[in-house]
Amino acid sequence: MRTLGSVAIVGAGQVGTMVGSALLEAGPALGITSVALYDADPQAAAASVALGGGDLVLPDPASVLQAQVVVLAIPVTEILAWLEEFGPRLREGGALLDTGSSKAAVVAAMARFVPEGVHAIGGHPMAGNEASGPSAAIPGALSEALFVLSPCRPDREALEIATALVAACGARPLVVEAPDHDRLVARTSHLPHLVASALAAVAAEVGDDLPLTQALAGTGFRSTTRLAASDSKMVAAFVSANRRQVEAALREFRRELDRLELALESGPGALEEVLGAGRAAHALVLGRA
């Protein structure tokens, strides 16, 4: 079994803390000697270590480069900036994995800035929630979760190292090419963030009726707007990085809204038909058809 050695995680938020705690727990079996954390906010890094997200805090961003495996758990725009600044300085024979929710821009930057002697690969753990910060990390959230791996170039060793790391987290690796990943998550993840935000904004535009709106905001509103509570900087980063696919998804969504509006004007029968199609699509996407 491959040994991972020293691991450094850039970003001590929810995802970084979840990955770090999982690697610490699995460390001895995979030869992980340390899990170090760096965050631009030293207090966040210290809080993550206190929660078991790592065993030490790194003092500066350059110190990350000494690790054998580097994991980038920061917003996508920050990942891109990190790759440009530090990618060329990664150690020969080391490994690099990110956890961003958009992949095409990230793997393109990896291919451009990371030397071929470094085993780099894109990643996206399909876990987490709308909360942020190290305290939002849910113990065991990565267990059995899907963890997408998107190669930036042909590199069997990069895939082997990333697969070992994913297995150490208890997650299930799935290799998906970056363009396919971005096209699909634009509709299953990125668009829902925008829709939740818009729905919350519409519900808030009630003027003096806000107290009554708050009282009537039931489980349907709460579940469909849950993502609106997400960190806006993080969401803006991965949505912007996947702009073209998200724009296409928005156009498709507008067409569905138009269909619903026309059906509403036509009466209950037409509306039932459109809603029935949506119900069938929901079952199909979730494998319940």
Side-chain angles (χ1 to χ4, degrees):
M1 180 177 290
R2 176 177 293 278
T3 58
L4 297 178
S6 58
V7 177
I9 299 174
V10 181
Q14 179 186 163
V15 174
T17 300
M18 289 195 300
V19 170
S21 61
L23 293 180
L24 271 183
E25 185 175 345
L30 286 172
I32 296 175
T33 56
S34 65
V35 177
L37 293 170
Y38 172 77
D39 196 283
D41 179 358
Q43 292 183 336
S48 181
V49 167
L51 291 168
D55 49 19
L56 72 150
V57 175
L58 295 173
D60 54 71
S63 57
V64 170
L65 302 174
Q66 302 304 314
Q68 291 169 275
V69 179
V70 176
V71 179
L72 304 179
I74 47 182
V76 173
T77 48
E78 294 180 23
I79 291 173
L80 298 175
W82 192 97
L83 290 170
E84 182 173 1
E85 182 175 359
F86 295 106
R89 298 163 58 186
L90 285 163
R91 60 187 290 178
E92 179 85 12
L96 174 69
L97 174 72
D98 85 291
T99 63
S101 298
S102 297
K103 294 270 64 76
V106 170
V107 299
M110 284 181 175
R112 179 180 179 186
F113 296 114
V114 177
E116 291 194 8
V118 177
H119 305 296
I121 190 168
H124 180 198
M126 308 297 287
N129 54 51
E130 71 280 6
S132 60
S135 62
I138 303 172
L142 291 172
S143 179
E144 295 302 314
L146 197 67
F147 201 122
V148 171
L149 297 175
S150 296
C152 69
R153 55 190 168 223
D155 186 341
R156 182 175 178 178
E157 191 164 354
L159 184 57
E160 289 177 355
I161 295 170
T163 299
L165 187 145
V166 169
C169 293
R172 298 177 292 117
L174 177 66
V175 178
V176 180
E177 293 298 323
D180 293 331
H181 169 276
D182 286 3
R183 175 173 54 86
L184 297 175
V185 298
R187 291 148 179 85
T188 61
S189 174
H190 300 174
L191 178 62
H193 275 280
L194 302 185
V195 172
S197 178
L199 180 56
V202 168
E205 293 175 358
V206 292
D208 294 338
D209 290 330
L210 182 58
L212 184 56
T213 300
Q214 293 170 336
L216 297 177
T219 55
F221 177 80
R222 295 176 190 277
S223 61
T224 54
T225 59
R226 176 181 64 83
L227 293 175
S230 300
D231 181 271
S232 56
K233 179 180 179 181
M234 176 192 69
V235 175
F238 64 68
V239 169
S240 296
N242 196 21
R243 191 185 103 188
R244 290 185 179 178
Q245 288 296 340
V246 174
E247 287 175 341
L250 279 169
R251 289 191 293 270
E252 294 163 12
F253 186 65
R254 287 192 186 96
R255 287 197 294 268
E256 290 303 314
L257 288 178
D258 291 340
R259 288 183 63 206
L260 283 167
E261 186 173 3
L262 288 172
L264 184 60
E265 294 173 356
S266 299
L271 186 57
E272 181 181 352
E273 182 179 349
V274 176
L275 292 173
R279 183 181 183 187
H282 177 264
L284 182 64
V285 171
L286 296 183
R288 299 171 183 170

Short mmCIF file of all heavy atoms in Angstrom, two decimals, residues 63-109:
data_model
loop_
_atom_site.label_atom_id
_atom_site.label_comp_id
_atom_site.label_asym_id
_atom_site.label_seq_id
_atom_site.Cartn_x
_atom_site.Cartn_y
_atom_site.Cartn_z
N SER A 63 5.86 27.50 3.65
CA SER A 63 6.21 26.31 4.41
C SER A 63 5.41 25.09 3.97
O SER A 63 5.82 23.95 4.21
CB SER A 63 6.00 26.55 5.91
OG SER A 63 4.67 26.94 6.18
N VAL A 64 4.30 25.33 3.30
CA VAL A 64 3.48 24.23 2.76
C VAL A 64 4.29 23.40 1.76
O VAL A 64 4.11 22.19 1.63
CB VAL A 64 2.22 24.80 2.08
CG1 VAL A 64 1.47 23.74 1.29
CG2 VAL A 64 1.30 25.43 3.13
N LEU A 65 5.20 24.04 1.05
CA LEU A 65 5.92 23.41 -0.04
C LEU A 65 6.87 22.30 0.41
O LEU A 65 7.36 21.53 -0.42
CB LEU A 65 6.72 24.46 -0.82
CG LEU A 65 5.89 25.61 -1.41
CD1 LEU A 65 6.80 26.67 -2.02
CD2 LEU A 65 4.89 25.09 -2.42
N GLN A 66 7.11 22.19 1.71
CA GLN A 66 7.99 21.14 2.22
C GLN A 66 7.28 19.80 2.33
O GLN A 66 7.94 18.76 2.45
CB GLN A 66 8.54 21.55 3.60
CG GLN A 66 9.29 22.86 3.61
CD GLN A 66 10.44 22.87 2.63
OE1 GLN A 66 11.22 21.93 2.55
NE2 GLN A 66 10.55 23.95 1.86
N ALA A 67 5.96 19.79 2.29
CA ALA A 67 5.21 18.55 2.46
C ALA A 67 5.29 17.68 1.22
O ALA A 67 5.48 18.17 0.10
CB ALA A 67 3.75 18.86 2.78
N GLN A 68 5.12 16.37 1.44
CA GLN A 68 5.12 15.44 0.31
C GLN A 68 3.79 15.48 -0.44
O GLN A 68 3.74 15.22 -1.64
CB GLN A 68 5.41 14.03 0.82
CG GLN A 68 6.83 13.84 1.31
CD GLN A 68 7.02 12.54 2.05
OE1 GLN A 68 6.76 12.43 3.24
NE2 GLN A 68 7.46 11.52 1.33
N VAL A 69 2.70 15.76 0.27
CA VAL A 69 1.38 15.87 -0.34
C VAL A 69 0.77 17.20 0.08
O VAL A 69 0.71 17.51 1.27
CB VAL A 69 0.45 14.72 0.08
CG1 VAL A 69 -0.93 14.88 -0.56
CG2 VAL A 69 1.05 13.37 -0.28
N VAL A 70 0.33 18.00 -0.88
CA VAL A 70 -0.33 19.28 -0.61
C VAL A 70 -1.78 19.18 -1.05
O VAL A 70 -2.07 18.73 -2.17
CB VAL A 70 0.38 20.44 -1.35
CG1 VAL A 70 -0.38 21.75 -1.13
CG2 VAL A 70 1.82 20.56 -0.87
N VAL A 71 -2.68 19.61 -0.17
CA VAL A 71 -4.11 19.63 -0.47
C VAL A 71 -4.59 21.07 -0.40
O VAL A 71 -4.41 21.74 0.63
CB VAL A 71 -4.91 18.76 0.53
CG1 VAL A 71 -6.40 18.81 0.20
CG2 VAL A 71 -4.41 17.32 0.50
N LEU A 72 -5.20 21.56 -1.47
CA LEU A 72 -5.72 22.93 -1.51
C LEU A 72 -7.21 22.91 -1.21
O LEU A 72 -8.01 22.43 -2.02
CB LEU A 72 -5.46 23.55 -2.88
CG LEU A 72 -4.00 23.58 -3.34
CD1 LEU A 72 -3.90 24.20 -4.73
CD2 LEU A 72 -3.12 24.32 -2.35
N ALA A 73 -7.58 23.43 -0.04
CA ALA A 73 -8.98 23.46 0.38
C ALA A 73 -9.42 24.90 0.61
O ALA A 73 -9.83 25.29 1.70
CB ALA A 73 -9.17 22.62 1.65
N ILE A 74 -9.32 25.69 -0.43
CA ILE A 74 -9.64 27.11 -0.41
C ILE A 74 -10.56 27.41 -1.60
O ILE A 74 -10.74 26.57 -2.48
CB ILE A 74 -8.36 27.98 -0.49
CG1 ILE A 74 -7.43 27.47 -1.61
CG2 ILE A 74 -7.63 27.98 0.85
CD1 ILE A 74 -6.11 28.23 -1.74
N PRO A 75 -11.21 28.59 -1.63
CA PRO A 75 -12.08 28.92 -2.76
C PRO A 75 -11.36 28.81 -4.11
O PRO A 75 -10.13 29.01 -4.18
CB PRO A 75 -12.52 30.36 -2.46
CG PRO A 75 -12.45 30.46 -0.97
CD PRO A 75 -11.25 29.63 -0.58
N VAL A 76 -12.10 28.54 -5.15
CA VAL A 76 -11.50 28.26 -6.46
C VAL A 76 -10.63 29.41 -6.96
O VAL A 76 -9.53 29.18 -7.48
CB VAL A 76 -12.59 27.91 -7.49
CG1 VAL A 76 -11.99 27.78 -8.88
CG2 VAL A 76 -13.29 26.62 -7.10
N THR A 77 -11.08 30.64 -6.79
CA THR A 77 -10.26 31.76 -7.25
C THR A 77 -8.92 31.80 -6.50
O THR A 77 -7.89 32.15 -7.08
CB THR A 77 -10.99 33.09 -7.05
OG1 THR A 77 -11.54 33.15 -5.72
CG2 THR A 77 -12.13 33.25 -8.05
N GLU A 78 -8.93 31.43 -5.23
CA GLU A 78 -7.69 31.38 -4.45
C GLU A 78 -6.82 30.20 -4.87
O GLU A 78 -5.58 30.28 -4.83
CB GLU A 78 -8.01 31.33 -2.96
CG GLU A 78 -8.67 32.60 -2.44
CD GLU A 78 -8.99 32.53 -0.96
OE1 GLU A 78 -8.35 31.75 -0.24
OE2 GLU A 78 -9.90 33.27 -0.52
N ILE A 79 -7.45 29.09 -5.24
CA ILE A 79 -6.69 27.94 -5.77
C ILE A 79 -5.93 28.36 -7.02
O ILE A 79 -4.74 28.06 -7.18
CB ILE A 79 -7.63 26.76 -6.08
CG1 ILE A 79 -8.20 26.17 -4.78
CG2 ILE A 79 -6.90 25.68 -6.88
CD1 ILE A 79 -9.25 25.10 -5.00
N LEU A 80 -6.61 29.06 -7.91
CA LEU A 80 -5.97 29.48 -9.16
C LEU A 80 -4.79 30.42 -8.88
O LEU A 80 -3.73 30.29 -9.49
CB LEU A 80 -7.00 30.17 -10.06
CG LEU A 80 -8.18 29.30 -10.51
CD1 LEU A 80 -9.18 30.13 -11.30
CD2 LEU A 80 -7.71 28.11 -11.33
N ALA A 81 -4.97 31.34 -7.95
CA ALA A 81 -3.88 32.26 -7.60
C ALA A 81 -2.74 31.50 -6.93
O ALA A 81 -1.56 31.79 -7.19
CB ALA A 81 -4.40 33.36 -6.67
N TRP A 82 -3.06 30.52 -6.07
CA TRP A 82 -2.03 29.73 -5.39
C TRP A 82 -1.22 28.94 -6.42
O TRP A 82 0.02 28.88 -6.32
CB TRP A 82 -2.68 28.79 -4.39
CG TRP A 82 -1.71 28.14 -3.43
CD1 TRP A 82 -1.43 28.55 -2.17
CD2 TRP A 82 -0.89 26.99 -3.68
NE1 TRP A 82 -0.48 27.72 -1.60
CE2 TRP A 82 -0.13 26.76 -2.50
CE3 TRP A 82 -0.72 26.13 -4.75
CZ2 TRP A 82 0.77 25.69 -2.40
CZ3 TRP A 82 0.19 25.08 -4.66
CH2 TRP A 82 0.93 24.87 -3.49
N LEU A 83 -1.88 28.34 -7.38
CA LEU A 83 -1.18 27.55 -8.38
C LEU A 83 -0.22 28.41 -9.19
O LEU A 83 0.90 27.97 -9.49
CB LEU A 83 -2.19 26.87 -9.31
CG LEU A 83 -3.00 25.74 -8.70
CD1 LEU A 83 -4.13 25.31 -9.64
CD2 LEU A 83 -2.11 24.55 -8.36
N GLU A 84 -0.63 29.62 -9.52
CA GLU A 84 0.26 30.49 -10.29
C GLU A 84 1.48 30.90 -9.48
O GLU A 84 2.61 30.93 -9.99
CB GLU A 84 -0.50 31.74 -10.75
CG GLU A 84 0.33 32.67 -11.60
CD GLU A 84 -0.46 33.81 -12.20
OE1 GLU A 84 -1.68 33.89 -11.95
OE2 GLU A 84 0.15 34.61 -12.94
N GLU A 85 1.29 31.18 -8.17
CA GLU A 85 2.40 31.65 -7.35
C GLU A 85 3.29 30.52 -6.85
O GLU A 85 4.52 30.61 -6.89
CB GLU A 85 1.85 32.43 -6.14
CG GLU A 85 2.96 32.99 -5.26
CD GLU A 85 2.43 33.88 -4.14
OE1 GLU A 85 1.20 34.07 -4.06
OE2 GLU A 85 3.26 34.38 -3.34
N PHE A 86 2.65 29.44 -6.37
CA PHE A 86 3.43 28.39 -5.70
C PHE A 86 3.57 27.10 -6.51
O PHE A 86 4.44 26.28 -6.20
CB PHE A 86 2.80 28.06 -4.34
CG PHE A 86 2.84 29.20 -3.36
CD1 PHE A 86 1.68 29.91 -3.07
CD2 PHE A 86 4.02 29.56 -2.74
CE1 PHE A 86 1.70 30.96 -2.17
CE2 PHE A 86 4.06 30.61 -1.84
CZ PHE A 86 2.90 31.32 -1.55
N GLY A 87 2.72 26.91 -7.51
CA GLY A 87 2.77 25.69 -8.29
C GLY A 87 4.15 25.36 -8.83
O GLY A 87 4.62 24.23 -8.71
N PRO A 88 4.84 26.33 -9.43
CA PRO A 88 6.17 26.04 -9.99
C PRO A 88 7.21 25.65 -8.94
O PRO A 88 8.26 25.12 -9.27
CB PRO A 88 6.56 27.37 -10.67
CG PRO A 88 5.26 28.06 -10.92
CD PRO A 88 4.39 27.69 -9.77
N ARG A 89 6.90 25.91 -7.65
CA ARG A 89 7.88 25.67 -6.59
C ARG A 89 7.62 24.38 -5.83
O ARG A 89 8.35 24.07 -4.87
CB ARG A 89 7.86 26.86 -5.62
CG ARG A 89 8.25 28.17 -6.28
CD ARG A 89 7.83 29.38 -5.46
NE ARG A 89 8.39 29.36 -4.12
CZ ARG A 89 8.06 30.25 -3.18
NH1 ARG A 89 7.19 31.23 -3.47
NH2 ARG A 89 8.59 30.18 -1.98
N LEU A 90 6.62 23.61 -6.23
CA LEU A 90 6.33 22.36 -5.55
C LEU A 90 7.48 21.37 -5.73
O LEU A 90 8.15 21.35 -6.77
CB LEU A 90 5.03 21.76 -6.09
CG LEU A 90 3.75 22.45 -5.60
CD1 LEU A 90 2.57 22.07 -6.50
CD2 LEU A 90 3.44 22.09 -4.15
N ARG A 91 7.66 20.52 -4.73
CA ARG A 91 8.82 19.63 -4.73
C ARG A 91 8.69 18.52 -5.76
O ARG A 91 7.60 17.97 -5.97
CB ARG A 91 9.04 19.04 -3.33
CG ARG A 91 7.89 18.23 -2.81
CD ARG A 91 8.10 17.83 -1.36
NE ARG A 91 9.17 16.83 -1.20
CZ ARG A 91 9.57 16.36 -0.03
NH1 ARG A 91 9.03 16.83 1.10
NH2 ARG A 91 10.52 15.45 0.04
N GLU A 92 9.78 18.20 -6.40
CA GLU A 92 9.83 17.11 -7.38
C GLU A 92 9.43 15.80 -6.72
O GLU A 92 9.88 15.46 -5.63
CB GLU A 92 11.26 16.98 -7.92
CG GLU A 92 11.46 15.87 -8.93
CD GLU A 92 11.10 16.29 -10.34
OE1 GLU A 92 10.91 17.51 -10.57
OE2 GLU A 92 11.03 15.41 -11.22
N GLY A 93 8.53 15.07 -7.35
CA GLY A 93 8.06 13.80 -6.82
C GLY A 93 6.94 13.93 -5.81
O GLY A 93 6.38 12.92 -5.37
N GLY A 94 6.60 15.16 -5.43
CA GLY A 94 5.50 15.38 -4.50
C GLY A 94 4.16 15.27 -5.21
O GLY A 94 4.07 15.02 -6.42
N ALA A 95 3.09 15.46 -4.44
CA ALA A 95 1.74 15.33 -4.99
C ALA A 95 0.90 16.54 -4.61
O ALA A 95 1.13 17.17 -3.57
CB ALA A 95 1.08 14.05 -4.49
N LEU A 96 -0.08 16.84 -5.46
CA LEU A 96 -0.96 17.98 -5.24
C LEU A 96 -2.38 17.58 -5.58
O LEU A 96 -2.64 16.98 -6.63
CB LEU A 96 -0.53 19.15 -6.13
CG LEU A 96 -1.44 20.38 -6.13
CD1 LEU A 96 -1.39 21.10 -4.79
CD2 LEU A 96 -1.06 21.34 -7.26
N LEU A 97 -3.31 17.94 -4.69
CA LEU A 97 -4.73 17.69 -4.90
C LEU A 97 -5.50 18.90 -4.43
O LEU A 97 -5.15 19.51 -3.41
CB LEU A 97 -5.17 16.45 -4.10
CG LEU A 97 -6.66 16.11 -4.09
CD1 LEU A 97 -7.10 15.55 -5.44
CD2 LEU A 97 -6.98 15.10 -2.99
N ASP A 98 -6.53 19.29 -5.17
CA ASP A 98 -7.39 20.38 -4.69
C ASP A 98 -8.77 19.83 -4.36
O ASP A 98 -9.07 18.67 -4.65
CB ASP A 98 -7.49 21.50 -5.73
CG ASP A 98 -8.57 21.23 -6.75
OD1 ASP A 98 -8.38 20.29 -7.57
OD2 ASP A 98 -9.60 21.92 -6.75
N THR A 99 -9.61 20.67 -3.76
CA THR A 99 -10.96 20.24 -3.40
C THR A 99 -12.02 21.20 -3.94
O THR A 99 -13.13 21.26 -3.44
CB THR A 99 -11.11 20.16 -1.86
OG1 THR A 99 -10.93 21.48 -1.29
CG2 THR A 99 -10.09 19.21 -1.26
N GLY A 100 -11.68 21.97 -4.97
CA GLY A 100 -12.60 22.96 -5.50
C GLY A 100 -13.80 22.38 -6.22
O GLY A 100 -13.74 21.28 -6.77
N SER A 101 -14.90 23.14 -6.24
CA SER A 101 -16.14 22.66 -6.84
C SER A 101 -16.22 22.86 -8.34
O SER A 101 -17.17 22.41 -8.97
CB SER A 101 -17.34 23.37 -6.17
OG SER A 101 -17.39 23.07 -4.80
N SER A 102 -15.26 23.58 -8.93
CA SER A 102 -15.14 23.70 -10.38
C SER A 102 -13.79 23.14 -10.78
O SER A 102 -12.79 23.40 -10.11
CB SER A 102 -15.25 25.16 -10.83
OG SER A 102 -16.51 25.70 -10.51
N LYS A 103 -13.75 22.39 -11.88
CA LYS A 103 -12.53 21.65 -12.15
C LYS A 103 -11.79 22.08 -13.41
O LYS A 103 -10.56 22.00 -13.44
CB LYS A 103 -12.85 20.13 -12.26
CG LYS A 103 -13.31 19.53 -10.94
CD LYS A 103 -12.16 19.00 -10.10
CE LYS A 103 -11.16 19.99 -9.61
NZ LYS A 103 -11.58 20.82 -8.48
N ALA A 104 -12.46 22.50 -14.47
CA ALA A 104 -11.77 22.77 -15.73
C ALA A 104 -10.70 23.86 -15.57
O ALA A 104 -9.56 23.70 -16.02
CB ALA A 104 -12.77 23.16 -16.81
N ALA A 105 -11.06 24.97 -14.93
CA ALA A 105 -10.09 26.05 -14.75
C ALA A 105 -8.93 25.61 -13.86
O ALA A 105 -7.78 25.99 -14.09
CB ALA A 105 -10.79 27.27 -14.15
N VAL A 106 -9.24 24.79 -12.85
CA VAL A 106 -8.21 24.36 -11.91
C VAL A 106 -7.21 23.42 -12.58
O VAL A 106 -5.99 23.59 -12.47
CB VAL A 106 -8.84 23.69 -10.67
CG1 VAL A 106 -7.77 23.02 -9.81
CG2 VAL A 106 -9.60 24.72 -9.85
N VAL A 107 -7.71 22.40 -13.30
CA VAL A 107 -6.77 21.45 -13.91
C VAL A 107 -5.98 22.11 -15.03
O VAL A 107 -4.82 21.74 -15.28
CB VAL A 107 -7.49 20.18 -14.39
CG1 VAL A 107 -8.16 19.46 -13.24
CG2 VAL A 107 -8.48 20.47 -15.51
N ALA A 108 -6.57 23.10 -15.69
CA ALA A 108 -5.82 23.84 -16.71
C ALA A 108 -4.67 24.61 -16.06
O ALA A 108 -3.55 24.66 -16.60
CB ALA A 108 -6.74 24.79 -17.46
N ALA A 109 -4.93 25.20 -14.89
CA ALA A 109 -3.88 25.93 -14.18
C ALA A 109 -2.82 24.97 -13.65
O ALA A 109 -1.63 25.29 -13.65
CB ALA A 109 -4.48 26.73 -13.04
#
